[in-house]
């Protein structure tokens, strides 16, 4: 027994950029797998296009390819590296799809690569809905009635039999993309069409609707000896009809008797055996009719999934690590349970707490998208909380979300006044991101648990828990007093100090003082897989207001690292990457590292990463309690993004030492007036600006600055609600909306540097030496959020004088702000002058990208200087300008939000990023495009439709496209302009001019490249062009800068096809 | 808060005291404090006669969520002396639920305590061993309660079987629970040719009887004190030794009966039945520090090298050395390497320490009932060498 002797090298495929439905959970699982495989002495080859991952750090694999995740690229890697096996079950749907392609195209066979974990047959059986269904029927399990349709006609016939409502599910898409419920015939036809277009296999499943049923998931593992264990059961609070990824879920299942649970367990075992997943983890979803208990199988993922990450964190059982070991031949009973050490991994974890996951949404970023939840996943992140009761874990999860909520306080007094009973009822009936708050509100309004359950289809058990909380709130609000007994009881139900304070009308600190005076402190319990039956050796803790504290602090010198909380647009995996690096670096420096975070998808919440893990909300209260217990040397706040940063000042005020850059520096950079003073003091230049607290101030300010202006509310992340405003009328309408949205926050108005080149600079400082990490030139011009813009390192168009000036200014700023750690500065180069746009004295989103591009782990160095090391000692004293070129490109979730125009703007909307590395900008940009969206075409028809102000830049683009042999196609105005340049160009109708129009052409595959810059944002006609290109996966560019870069890249591709190279080779140069 | 105001105390013999609130009946209960780590199945646990004499702490904190229904009881009453939970839910939610757990406890006059740090209790027992304890919501004086716990008789040497076994023999006719359709009830015609098994009732769980029926046995249940002659007088084709409470060493009559039956009929023993079998072979049993009570214990089938996740509930175990030469070890607990199964050497019997009938717990070991049925068939054909034939088929 033991591991297979025929394997010496394994090829692991990652999941690529962070998107909705595929987030950093696959970095967590991939990293675990790589570590496990390397520990086994195997040579590990990795392919992943996402630079912000820990797994793509060069030390985690022997050969790391940051290249596009396509079958063609994977084949090139296989040809170079000749691995013995491909492990495709840890990189999400992306890796699985890639494996299918490689197997079916014969690449694996040609190079003798074995598919391990799951066979091609098993993957196809699980993924192909029709075959899966047949398999279930064969083993006697119930499934919803359904039919596959490969055309609209087939769909029509199917719905005649099934009757509406039905669910339409396109086959083989990520996170249920395109899945939709339909109860009306025309709507049904439209959704089928959309689904057919978006399914890689051009088929949709039309299924009996079981919306409203209870939904459960089981995480199952199997080894090569056919041992099968269930790691965790998960119950969705939301009923069927809401995508699991968008559902509030709890572990373990709460409302099944043992008889019912065991039937599900039996079914899961039969399913994994029938599908034939040889080894590793699978996730199986079930639905149960709450009235009769009829159980149907929904689907199975024959791989590690988002739910397995959750199950791993919820139980302490490292599914991915074990799955990797099983894939290379170990059996479950041969592997130890890391936590107990004495017992084997072949068992079923039992837990003595309740875990609640709540997804985090960003509907505010997609104003045209309705806040409605359905079978298509829309959340961008999630939080998990652990408590001894559901009430406690639920309330902890709510405050973990960081949406300004500290309990059931999501409905403001103002909203309450305008919320009629009817409106409230509708919000209960239609699942939305704020449903929990509406349930509480309905209870306050006197609706019964039964009525709310009927409206929401949420099990009454969960609603009763909320009812108990609401009842406590009511009592507290009425009495305004608390004795020790009541306070303890509230804390046991998960009430935050802040919520209690709000309810009795005092300050949060007052409640805390009172609580401490009464001797009421949280205890920390261990996540141990076994409900305390055996001794646990892993310090993985959660707080609860129960008696015994198991987290006994050590006498070592320790550092607390505050993580980034839930993923959201503007704050994602990049910050988790930095936190993990900090922990690794400081452990190596001999410190005890203590990680605090509440995001179950991350590497940072792997209990292996830090010496201690506190799975806790990142609020002042929760952090202060940990600090009170652990008494660390200091707390690191600069790696987790805005989340810990927002706590910095309050922590410092509470006497908590903050390591690195002083919190005052953050304030100096973020406070507008102090920042102006800083820039003035250093004699730097910044765009003219103004602060407005009302409409009059805004109009005056804008007039003084001169239009166009960039306007946004202060203190926001990811450019939320930021807009370019061209005249007073637009300004007025913005102010109207924004002032109400952001309450007391003033508006910031800036001169908009039209056409300016934006530059990001990351640097590190130990307080004396400042070293530039990287200078990134944005591809898109000023006006596009830096997080959404493609960028290149080293800069391509900046003169050496500008580069020198950027370095000088960055160093100046770092010194002035006494930065110890990382600093990021954003600049605009406008008419030959350098303007400072923004200074962030903390880790920025680009740190992982820069680190990978230059081959220097900046976050690690930063953590080291924060505990007193000097850059000279650490050997990083001069800028490293690599010979190769690295391009970062953003990835967007537009396909998820029907009706949203996929345009770039000052508000950040990307969820992830990819990296392209090559010898030239053109080649690297081509790779980045391929990784982010689709391969750039080297021939075909290019469609152009650009606004008048862009036409002067059109000349070069069309000439070059024409020279390369592209056929040109344009709408009337653009076509005339192109022909006037002496280049042949066909005219195509606009949508408004009737069929056959441009959208038809895109649909029919007659167009291979779209360049479309809109005259007016939101114009329906051009929006439909972009949407269709997006949906049909045709590369499209909405800025001239992007188009020019694309043309350059296409030229490079025509000269020579892309080649792959490992990161380790780039660094060797 | 108002619904949980009546205080209750749990006191252990070693002087440790936990404070909480009453649930279930108001009163006092004495017993050995044990913990069960199964996350589902509290109704089955409470009604399992093997819990006679014990106060059960469920380690999963939310208990009562699915209420109590008509189908999931393992006997006709609650046998556990008391229930210890973090939170006892007053309002259940499940389509089969008939009443709340709280009401069920009250109806059966069973005392409970909730709101205490059950995890701290488990950690205490894990380290200091299972011991006698008292739950009380009438006497709130910790010292007096500790005294009561100290004076309670220990599990060792106690015959609890006489309290739980049936008074008269009876026939059992129901098969397994069917989702959505009550219990399987084979027809008269169906069972006519089935072999007869006598199940000796040391505190038998109903699901064992249901499993035997489902496997194709006619089942006659007989009191624990039945003699070998009385049992053989039924002319059974096979004999089953049930689970039950307490110390196996305190049951000389059971040991004597089984010793006499060995070799005469194929025998299958579960839990206490397995231990009695071990004693009847001349072996020894001993008390475990805190026992095995849960639904996630990995057991290795030494023959097939397959692992079963098993349901367990026992405080004593068979000393493997003591039965060498008479039986061989067939199953091993992977957590602590204690004996989980025995197989007769030349004699037609096998037994397991765990609960293949599950209820609550996983069904991984269901196959043992079929194996028992097969052994019965082989015994009818080949007599004493049936075991060898059975082995060749595994």
């Amino acid at each position: 027994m033991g591991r297979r002797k025929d394997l010496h090298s394994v090829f692991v495929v990652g999941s690529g950029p962070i998107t909705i439905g595929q987030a950093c959970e696959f970095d967590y699982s991939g990293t675990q797998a790589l570590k496990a495989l390397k520990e086994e002495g195997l040579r590990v080859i990795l392919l992943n296009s996402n630079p912000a991952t820990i797994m793509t750090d060069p030390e985690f694999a022997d050969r790391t390819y940051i290249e596009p995740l396509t079958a063609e690229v994977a084949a090139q890697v296989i040809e170079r590296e000749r691995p013995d096996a491909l492990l495709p079950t840890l990189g999400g749907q992306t890796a699985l799809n890639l494996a299918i392609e490689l197997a079916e195209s014969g690449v694996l066979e040609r190079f003798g690569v074995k598919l391990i974990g799951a066979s091609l047959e098993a993957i196809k059986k699980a993924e192909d809905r029709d075959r899966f269904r047949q398999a279930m029927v064969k083993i006697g399990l119930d499934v919803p009635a359904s039919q596959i349709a490969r055309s609209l006609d087939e769909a029509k016939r199917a719905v005649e039999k099934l009757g509406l409502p039905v669910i339409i599910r396109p086959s083989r898409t990520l996170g249920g993309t395109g899945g939709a419920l339909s109860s009306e015939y025309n709507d049904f036809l439209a959704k089928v069409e959309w689904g057919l277009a978006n399914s890689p296999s051009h088929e949709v499943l039309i299924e009996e609707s079981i919306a409203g049923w209870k939904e459960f998931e089981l995480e199952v593992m199997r080894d090569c000896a056919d041992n099968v264990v269930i790691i965790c059961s998960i119950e969705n609070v939301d009923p069927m009809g809401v995508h699991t990824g968008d559902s509030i879920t709890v572990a373990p299942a709460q409302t099944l008797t043992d008889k019912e649970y065991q039937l599900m367990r039996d079914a899961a075992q039969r399913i994994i055996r029938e599908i034939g997943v040889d080894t590793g983890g699978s996730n199986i979803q079930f639905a149960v009719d709450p009235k009769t208990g009829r159980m149907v199988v929904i689907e199975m993922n024959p791989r590690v999934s988002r739910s397995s990450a959750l199950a791993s964190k919820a139980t302490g059982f490292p599914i991915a690590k074990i799955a990797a070991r099983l894939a290379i031949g170990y059996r479950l009973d041969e592997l130890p349970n890391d936590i107990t050490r004495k017992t084997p991994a072949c068992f079923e974890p039992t837990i003595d707490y309740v875990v609640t996951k709540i997804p985090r949404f960003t509907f505010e970023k997609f104003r045209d998208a309705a806040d409605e939840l359905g079978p298509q996943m829309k959340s961008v992140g999630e939080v998990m909380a652990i408590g001894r009761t559901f009430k406690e874990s639920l309330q902890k999860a709510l405050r973990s979300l960081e949406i300004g909520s500290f309990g059931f306080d999501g409905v403001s007094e103002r909203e309450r006044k305008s919320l009629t009973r009817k409106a409230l009822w509708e919000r209960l009936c239609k699942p939305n991101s704020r449903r929990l708050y509406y349930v509480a509100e309905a209870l306050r309004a006197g609706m019964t648990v039964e009525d709310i359950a009927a409206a929401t289809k949420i099990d009454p058990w969960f609603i009763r828990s909320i009812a108990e909380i609401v009842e406590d709130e009511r009592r507290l609000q009425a009495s305004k007093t608390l004795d020790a007994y009541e306070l303890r009881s509230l804390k046991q139900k998960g009430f935050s100090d802040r919520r209690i304070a709000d309810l009795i009308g005092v300050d949060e600190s007052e409640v805390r003082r009172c609580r401490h005076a009464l001797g009421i402190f949280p205890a920390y319990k261990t996540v141990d897989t076994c409900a305390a039956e055996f001794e646990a050796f892993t310090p993985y803790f959660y707080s609860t207001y129960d008696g015994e504290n198991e987290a006994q602090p050590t006498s070592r010198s320790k550092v607390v690292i505050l993580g980034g909380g839930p993923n959201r647009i503007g704050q994602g995996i990049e910050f988790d990457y930095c936190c993990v690096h900090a922990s690794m670096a400081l452990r190596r420096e001999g410190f005890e590292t203590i990680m605090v975070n509440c995001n179950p998808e991350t590497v940072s919440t792997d209990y292996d990463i830090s010496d201690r893990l506190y799975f806790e909300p990142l609020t002042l209260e929760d952090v202060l309690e940990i600090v009170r217990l652990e008494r660390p040397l200091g707390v690191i706040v600069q790696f987790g993004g805005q989340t810990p940063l927002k706590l910095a000042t309050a922590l410092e005020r509470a006497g908590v030492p903050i390591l690195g850059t002083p919190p005052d520096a953050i304030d100096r950079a973020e406070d507008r007036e102090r920042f102006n003073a800083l820039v003035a003091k250093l004699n730097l230049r910044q765009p003219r600006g103004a602060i407005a607290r009302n409409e009059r101030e805004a109009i005056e300010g804008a007039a003084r600055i001169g239009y166009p202006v960039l306007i946004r509310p202060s203190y926001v992340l990811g450019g939320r609600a930021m807009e370019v405003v061209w005249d007073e009328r637009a300004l007025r309408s913005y102010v109207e909306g924004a002032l109400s949205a952001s309450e007391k926050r003033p508006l910031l108005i800036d001169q908009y540097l039209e056409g300016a080149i934006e530059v990001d600079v990351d640097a590190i400082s130990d307080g004396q030496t400042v070293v530039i990490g990287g200078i990134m030139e944005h591809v898109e011009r000023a006006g596009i959020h830096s997080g959404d813009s493609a960028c290149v390192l080293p800069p391509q168009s900046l003169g050496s004088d500008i580069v020198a000036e950027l370095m000088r200014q960055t160093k100046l700023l770092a010194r002035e702000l006494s930065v110890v750690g990382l600093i990021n500065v954003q600049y605009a180069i406008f008419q030959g002058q350098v303007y400072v746009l923004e200074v962030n004295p903390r880790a920025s989103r680009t740190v992982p990208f820069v680190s990978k591009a230059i081959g220097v782990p900046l976050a690690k160095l930063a953590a080291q200087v924060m505990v007193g090391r000097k850059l000279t000692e650490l050997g990083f004293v001069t800028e490293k300008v690599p010979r190769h070129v690295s391009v970062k490109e953003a990835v967007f979730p537009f396909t998820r939000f029907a009706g949203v125009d996929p345009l770039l703007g000052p508000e950040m909307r990307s969820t992830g990023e990819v990296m392209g590395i090559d010898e030239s900008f053109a080649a690297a940009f081509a790779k980045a495009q391929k990784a982010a969206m689709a391969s750039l075409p080297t021939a075909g028809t290019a469609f152009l439709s650009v606004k008048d102000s862009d036409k002067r830049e059109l000349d070069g683009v069309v000439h070059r496209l024409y020279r390369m042999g592209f056929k040109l196609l344009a709408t009337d105005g653009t076509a005339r302009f192109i022909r006037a340049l002496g280049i042949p160009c066909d005219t195509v109708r606009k949508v408004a001019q009737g069929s056959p129009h441009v959208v038809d052409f895109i649909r029919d595959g007659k167009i291979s490249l779209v360049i479309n810059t809109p005259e007016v944002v939101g114009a329906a006609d051009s929006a439909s062009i972009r949407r269709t290109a997006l949906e049909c996966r045709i590369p499209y560019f909405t800025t001239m800068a992007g188009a020019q870069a694309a043309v350059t890249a296409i030229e490079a591709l025509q000269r020579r096809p892309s080649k792959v190279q490992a990161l380790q080779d780039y660094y060797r140069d | 808060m108002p619904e949980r105001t009546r205080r209750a105390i749990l006191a252990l013999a070693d002087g440790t005291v936990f404070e909480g609130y009453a649930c279930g009946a108001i009163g006092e209960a004495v017993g050995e404090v044990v913990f069960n780590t199964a996350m589902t199945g509290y109704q089955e646990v409470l009604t399992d006669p093997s819990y006679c004499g014990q106060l059960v702490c469920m380690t999963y904190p939310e208990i009562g969520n699915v209420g109590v229904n008509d189908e999931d009881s393992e006997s006709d009453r609650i046998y556990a002396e008391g229930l210890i939970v973090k939170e006892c839910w007053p309002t259940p939610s499940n389509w089969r639920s008939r009443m709340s757990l709280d009401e069920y406890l009250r109806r059966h006059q069973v005392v409970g305590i909730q709101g205490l740090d059950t995890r701290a209790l488990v950690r205490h027992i894990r380290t200091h061993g299972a011991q006698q304890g008292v739950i009380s919501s009438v006497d709130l004086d910790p010292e007096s309660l500790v005294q009561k716990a100290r004076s309670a008789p220990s599990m060792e040497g106690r015959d609890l079987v006489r309290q739980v076994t049936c008074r008269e023999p009876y026939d059992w006719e129901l098969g397994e629970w069917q989702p959505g359709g009550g219990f399987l009830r084979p027809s008269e015609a169906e069972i006519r040719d089935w072999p007869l098994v006598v199940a000796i009732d040391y505190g038998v769980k109903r699901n064992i009887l249901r499993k035997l029926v489902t496997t194709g046995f006619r089942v006659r249940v007989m009191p624990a004190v039945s003699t070998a002659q009385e049992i053989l007088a039924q002319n059974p084709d096979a004999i089953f030794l049930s689970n039950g409470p307490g110390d196996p060493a305190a049951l000389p009559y059971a040991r004597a009966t089984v010793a006499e039956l060995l070799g005469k009929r194929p025998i299958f023993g579960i839990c206490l039945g397995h231990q009695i079998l071990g004693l009847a072979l001349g072996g020894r049993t001993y008390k475990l520090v805190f026992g095995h009570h849960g639904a996630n214990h990995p057991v290795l089938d030494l023959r097939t090298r397959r692992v079963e996740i098993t349901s367990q509930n026992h405080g004593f175990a068979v000393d493997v050395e003591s039965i060498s030469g008479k039986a061989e070890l067939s199953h091993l607990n992977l957590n602590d390497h204690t004996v989980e199964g025995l197989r007769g050497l030349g004699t037609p019997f096998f037994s397991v320490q765990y609960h293949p009938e599950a209820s609550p717990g996983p069904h991984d070991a269901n196959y043992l009932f079929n194996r028992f049925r097969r052994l019965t068939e082989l015994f009818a054909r080949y007599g004493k060498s049936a075991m060898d034939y059975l082995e060749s088929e595994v």
Side-chain angles (χ1 to χ4, degrees), chain A residues 488-722:
Chain A
R488 181 176 291 278
S489 162
L490 289 175
K491 294 305 282 182
Q492 286 184 336
K493 289 175 189 171
F495 278 85
S496 62
D497 288 351
R498 168 73 182 269
R499 183 67 184 143
I500 294 171
D502 287 351
L503 288 165
I504 54 181
V506 298
D507 194 67
E508 176 185 354
S509 57
E510 182 66 31
V511 173
R512 192 140 48 239
R513 199 163 37 241
C514 163
R515 175 164 65 76
H516 286 177
L518 291 168
I520 302 172
F521 297 102
Y524 295 89
K525 304 262 180 205
T526 314
V527 171
D528 63 5
T529 73
C530 62
E533 184 173 3
F534 305 103
E535 189 183 355
F537 292 89
T538 42
Y540 170 10
F541 303 117
Y542 67 95
S543 73
T544 180
Y545 281 79
D546 222 339
E548 185 190 34
N549 177 40
E550 296 170 26
Q552 296 306 327
T554 67
S555 55
R556 294 176 61 193
S557 191
K558 52 193 95 151
V559 174
V560 169
I561 301 161
L562 300 184
N567 276 10
R568 65 209 85 161
I569 288 174
Q571 184 172 313
I573 187 172
E574 304 83 0
F575 297 103
D576 197 67
Y577 169 96
C578 291
C579 291
V580 170
H581 270 243
S583 183
M584 295 194 294
L586 296 181
R587 278 181 98 168
R588 218 172 296 150
E589 291 281 321
F591 292 92
E592 178 177 302
T593 61
I594 297 167
M595 184 70 70
V596 186
N597 202 359
C598 56
N599 182 344
E601 306 175 322
T602 57
V603 177
S604 69
T605 51
D606 184 342
Y607 60 77
D608 264 357
I609 292 296
S610 301
D611 291 300
R612 287 183 163 221
L613 168 64
Y614 284 87
F615 209 105
E616 287 286 282
L618 287 154
T619 69
L620 185 62
E621 171 186 347
D622 298 285
V623 173
L624 281 176
E625 293 295 346
I626 293 166
V627 169
R628 183 188 57 78
L629 178 72
E630 291 282 358
R631 309 219 164 276
L633 198 70
V635 174
I636 292 184
V637 297
Q638 63 166 264
F639 289 132
Q642 284 292 335
T643 302
L645 229 43
K646 277 189 299 195
L647 302 177
T649 314
L651 286 173
E652 196 181 41
R653 215 174 291 144
V656 179
I658 304 293
L659 295 183
T661 311
D664 184 59
I666 298 158
D667 192 59
R668 274 179 86 186
E670 294 210 341
D671 181 275
R672 182 76 156 194
E673 274 150 36
R674 295 187 72 192
F675 181 65
N676 291 348
L678 170 74
V679 171
K681 181 181 171 196
L682 298 176
N683 253 327
L684 305 178
R685 200 187 296 264
Q686 61 175 336
R688 290 191 296 277
I691 301 182
R693 286 179 186 79
N694 53 45
E695 193 183 69
R696 188 181 47 81
E697 284 179 18
I699 292 167
E700 281 170 12
R704 196 166 59 244
I705 294 162
Y707 289 95
V709 294
L710 201 59
I711 184 162
R712 70 192 146 115
S714 61
Y715 279 96
V716 292
L717 192 69
R720 203 179 130 196
M722 187 188 277

Side-chain angles (χ1 to χ4, degrees), chain A residues 214 225-229 233 251-263 265-266 269 273 288-294 331 333 342-344 346-354 387-391 459-461 464-465 468 472 475 485-486 489-490 492-493 523 525-536 542 544-550, chain B residues 1-5 21 35 37-44 59-62 64-67 69 71-74 86-87 89-96 115-124 126 177-180 183 207 210 290-300 304-309 334-337 358-364 366:
Chain A
K214 292 152 73 76
D226 194 29
N227 292 313
V228 177
V229 292
S233 65
Q254 302 293 328
T255 62
L256 292 179
T257 64
D258 184 67
K259 296 272 179 297
E260 294 139 18
Y261 170 69
Q262 297 303 338
L263 286 177
R265 184 182 180 278
D266 289 349
Q269 290 193 333
R273 286 180 174 134
V288 172
D289 185 337
K291 291 189 193 73
T292 64
R294 178 186 159 204
R331 295 181 351 187
D333 54 310
K342 289 179 187 124
T343 59
C346 193
F347 80 118
E348 300 195 345
T350 185
I351 64 183
D352 56 359
Y353 43 81
V354 182
R388 286 277 281 161
T389 60
F390 172 63
K391 293 178 281 273
D459 193 284
W461 190 82
R464 273 191 206 106
S465 289
E468 212 179 293
D472 284 339
R475 202 166 30 235
Y485 165 77
E486 284 167 329
S489 162
L490 289 175
Q492 286 184 336
K493 289 175 189 171
K525 304 262 180 205
T526 314
V527 171
D528 63 5
T529 73
C530 62
E533 184 173 3
F534 305 103
E535 189 183 355
Y542 67 95
T544 180
Y545 281 79
D546 222 339
E548 185 190 34
N549 177 40
E550 296 170 26
Chain B
M1 289 180 265
E3 74 275 14
R4 285 167 215 177
T5 43
Y21 302 96
F35 61 85
T37 61
M39 293 183 285
T40 51
Y42 54 83
Q43 183 178 347
E44 289 89 330
T59 60
Y60 186 66
E62 301 273 29
N65 303 7
V66 289
N69 62 47
E71 299 167 328
D72 294 357
S73 290
E74 283 301 319
K86 176 70 196 164
E87 178 158 52
W89 264 87
T91 44
S93 173
N94 185 278
W95 59 94
R96 295 195 295 139
L116 66 163
D117 187 345
T118 49
R119 185 173 163 92
L121 172 66
V122 170
R123 282 163 53 87
H124 187 81
R126 176 182 90 197
W177 176 72
Q178 304 292 298
F183 296 98
N207 213 48
R210 295 178 195 130
F290 55 87
H292 299 164
H293 313 272
N296 71 340
H297 290 253
V299 167
L300 182 69
T304 61
R305 305 300 300 177
R306 287 272 290 266
V307 180
E308 295 151 32
I309 304 301
L334 288 176
N335 283 343
D336 62 4
H337 300 98
S359 196
H363 300 160
D364 291 9
N366 265 342

Side-chain angles (χ1 to χ4, degrees), chain A residues 695 698-699 707 725 727-738:
Chain A
E695 193 183 69
I699 292 167
Y707 289 95
V725 168
D727 54 31
E728 194 180 309
R729 203 171 52 96
L731 182 79
R732 279 177 195 277
S733 105
Y734 179 90
V735 172
E736 218 168 279

